[in-house]
């Protein structure tokens, strides 16, 4: 329950709210540390909304930024608040905001594109090079109590979607973009590589799309057991790390009945790990002429992809960068009962415990799937 309290006026000299309102945040540093810091709170400018962030999921990219300091060309060069899988409550609307009001429950699309480049003009705003993406240095993320965000990139959620579910709309959006790119078909098989949060959402979404049979792979047996419980019709395969990618692919093909029948091999693969060996396995497992969509985040350079196999088999190797125009569809999937992702949230921490949550999330052997930071404290409602 959010309690209304008296809040002093914004300090117009610096555009920040008074420091009497604690704003704990989880920040990553350029030297690979994480820390809980009380961050300043910006006031909502024209077209912006001040939010109380109620739920934020920890993503693999947050762990990447902490452990390695970069994802490709995205480099942590200074202190930065992490987090981008979020939902919250509107506390105050800036000038010109008409689609939202105080008290609205919203999901956050974390990327704010420039709206000026040719890609934005074409509607491919997910490829905008000047995007301001929450939790990617130098843009502050959602692992804080209060955050300002443009109203254009917020979506009201219905009463039958919880804040936890709404925070899952961001990874669901990744999957929706991947499925659209891959083009799954009713009654056609699909291989899902990786049983982490993205792979599990891909598994559920592939099942909802009518794909069959579905095989999901991972090296961690606990995650495969979770996958089988999550989607009982799925076939699980534990990757054998003692054999090569081609040999693992042969074993996977057997699960589709494709030992001696190329047509039975999966026509589509959703590769959700970004690990080079898994991408190679995907290329060998997919049907000749099939599609492999790499959804997972991997190393900047991969040296061992089976180029000639991909070429001679005319395998369509595709990639995605985040998502575009997915939140309305994602909200419809959750509110309409097409997908039920609630089981994915296995661990919950307070904002003040966010560093502990990161440590848990960084070790897959500890059994977490989706770890979320839930901030249920009474927050200021600005009139």
């Amino acid at each position: 329950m959010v309690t209304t309290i008296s809040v002093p006026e914004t300090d117009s000299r610096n555009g920040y709210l008074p420091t009497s309102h604690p704003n704990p945040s989880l920040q990553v540093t350029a030297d690979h540390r994480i820390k809980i810091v009380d961050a300043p709170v910006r006031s909502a400018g024209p077209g912006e909304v001040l939010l109380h962030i109620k739920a934020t999921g920890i993503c693999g990219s947050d762990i990447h930024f902490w452990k390695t300091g970069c994802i490709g060309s995205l480099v942590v060069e200074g202190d930065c608040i992490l987090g981008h899988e979020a939902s919250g409550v509107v506390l105050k609307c800036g000038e010109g905001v008409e689609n939202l009001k105080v008290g609205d429950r919203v999901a956050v699309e974390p990327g704010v594109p420039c709206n000026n480049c040719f890609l934005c003009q074409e509607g491919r705003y997910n490829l905008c090079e000047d995007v301001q993406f929450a939790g990617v240095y130098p843009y502050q993320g959602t692992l804080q109590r209060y955050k300002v965000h443009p109203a254009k990139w917020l979506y009201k959620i219905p009463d039958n979607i919880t804040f936890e579910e709404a925070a899952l709309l961001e990874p669901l959006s990744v999957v929706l973009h991947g499925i659209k790119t891959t083009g799954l078909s009713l009654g056609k098989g699909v291989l899902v590589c990786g049983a982490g949060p993205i792979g599990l959402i891909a598994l559920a979404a592939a099942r909802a799309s009518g794909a069959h049979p579905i095989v999901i792979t991972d090296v961690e047996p606990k995650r495969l057991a979770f996958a089988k419980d999550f989607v009982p019709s799925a076939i699980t395969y534990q990757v054998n790390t003692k054999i090569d990618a081609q040999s693992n692919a042969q074993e996977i093909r057997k699960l589709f009945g494709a030992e001696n029948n190329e047509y039975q091999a999966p026509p589509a693969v959703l590769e959700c790990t970004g690990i080079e060996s898994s991408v190679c396995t995907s290329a060998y497992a997919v049907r000749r002429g099939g599609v492999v969509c790499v959804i997972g985040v991997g190393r900047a350079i991969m040296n061992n992809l089976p180029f000639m196999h991909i070429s001679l088999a005319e395998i369509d190797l595709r990639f995605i960068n985040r998502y575009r125009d997915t939140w309305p569809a994602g909200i419809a999937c959750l509110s309409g009962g097409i997908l039920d992702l609630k089981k994915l949230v296995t661990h919950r921490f307070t904002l003040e415990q966010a560093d502990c949550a990161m440590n848990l999330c960084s070790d897959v052997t500890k059994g977490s799937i989706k770890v979320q930071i839930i901030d249920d404290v009474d927050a200021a409602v600005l009139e």
Side-chain angles (χ1 to χ4, degrees):
M1 189 73 176
V2 178
T3 303
T4 302
I5 62 175
S6 176
V7 178
E9 291 297 318
T10 299
D11 185 344
S12 60
R13 293 170 299 174
N14 56 25
Y16 288 90
L17 294 175
T19 57
S20 58
H21 301 284
N23 185 34
S25 69
L26 179 76
Q27 301 187 9
V28 66
T29 69
D31 59 349
H32 310 300
R33 293 181 295 112
I34 52 174
K35 57 185 179 179
I36 304 291
V37 178
D38 194 37
V41 184
R42 278 189 52 217
S43 58
E48 294 181 328
V49 165
L50 176 63
L51 298 172
H52 173 201
I53 300 296
K54 299 290 285 184
T56 293
I58 293 178
C59 175
S61 64
D62 299 316
I63 305 299
H64 273 284
F65 282 132
W66 170 30
K67 296 292 188 178
T68 68
C70 67
I71 297 176
S73 61
L74 306 175
V75 180
V76 178
E77 297 179 356
D79 293 1
C80 183
I81 300 174
L82 292 171
H84 58 274
E85 302 178 3
S87 63
V89 176
V90 174
L91 297 182
K92 188 172 184 179
C93 296
E95 181 183 352
V97 174
E98 298 180 352
N99 62 316
L100 295 171
K101 65 182 184 303
V102 172
D104 279 346
R105 303 165 67 248
V106 296
V108 179
E109 182 168 357
V112 181
C114 74
N115 282 327
N116 295 316
C117 68
F118 77 95
L119 291 163
C120 286
Q121 296 300 317
E122 290 177 357
R124 303 175 71 191
Y125 65 84
N126 60 309
L127 301 181
C128 174
E129 291 188 284
D130 293 324
V131 64
Q132 299 179 19
F133 197 88
V136 176
Y137 180 86
Y139 307 109
Q140 305 304 321
T142 59
L143 280 170
Q144 56 180 318
R145 181 161 295 147
Y146 301 109
K147 180 171 177 14
V148 167
H149 201 73
K152 179 178 179 179
W153 303 106
L154 297 171
Y155 302 85
K156 285 192 281 189
I157 55 174
D159 291 341
N160 68 339
I161 293 181
T162 67
F163 288 118
E164 289 185 12
E165 291 175 283
L168 291 170
L169 286 164
E170 197 278 342
L172 174 56
S173 287
V174 173
V175 170
L176 291 177
H177 190 45
I179 284 180
K180 182 178 179 180
T181 300
T182 309
L184 300 189
S185 300
L186 192 71
K188 296 291 183 69
V190 63
L191 170 63
V192 178
C193 294
I198 293 293
L200 290 166
I201 294 174
L203 174 66
R207 185 73 186 110
S209 76
H212 184 80
I214 306 173
V215 174
I216 184 166
T217 71
D218 207 283
V219 297
E220 174 53 55
K222 290 180 182 178
R223 289 199 159 182
L224 290 175
F226 187 98
K228 187 66 176 176
D229 179 69
F230 190 49
V231 179
S233 62
I235 302 168
T236 61
Y237 175 77
Q238 185 175 350
V239 175
N240 186 344
T241 57
K242 296 180 180 179
I243 61 178
D244 62 15
Q246 194 166 8
S247 298
N248 271 302
Q250 289 172 353
E251 295 302 311
I252 291 167
R253 279 181 158 230
K254 290 178 183 178
L255 299 176
F256 286 93
E259 298 98 320
N260 301 305
N261 186 346
E262 182 67 23
Y263 181 76
Q264 294 297 114
V269 179
L270 298 169
E271 204 300 304
C272 301
T273 73
I275 297 170
E276 183 173 322
S277 60
S278 184
V279 176
C280 294
T281 299
S282 300
Y284 286 122
V286 75
R287 178 194 299 177
R288 291 173 68 84
V291 178
V292 174
C293 182
V294 180
I295 297 174
V297 174
R299 296 191 308 177
I301 302 294
M302 293 188 183
N303 296 312
N304 298 305
L305 294 183
F307 176 80
M308 282 311 302
H309 171 77
I310 293 171
S311 175
L312 293 173
E314 287 194 4
I315 292 167
D316 193 350
L317 184 59
R318 300 180 183 178
F319 303 86
I320 66 164
N321 180 28
R322 295 173 181 148
Y323 33 68
R324 60 176 181 268
D325 303 319
T326 51
W327 258 257
I331 290 171
C333 284
L334 297 186
S335 65
I338 297 171
L339 291 173
D340 184 352
L341 304 180
K342 291 189 286 292
K343 283 186 179 180
L344 294 180
V345 183
T346 56
H347 295 78
R348 299 163 182 84
F349 291 80
T350 67
L351 189 52
E352 292 80 5
Q353 298 170 324
D355 52 347
C356 299
M358 288 283 284
N359 278 291
L360 172 67
C361 196
S362 66
D363 185 351
V364 298
T365 65
K366 292 183 178 179
S368 69
I369 299 296
K370 175 55 67 177
V371 178
Q372 286 191 348
I373 306 303
I374 308 298
D375 193 42
D376 279 334
V377 303
D378 291 342
V381 175
L382 309 186
E383 302 295 344

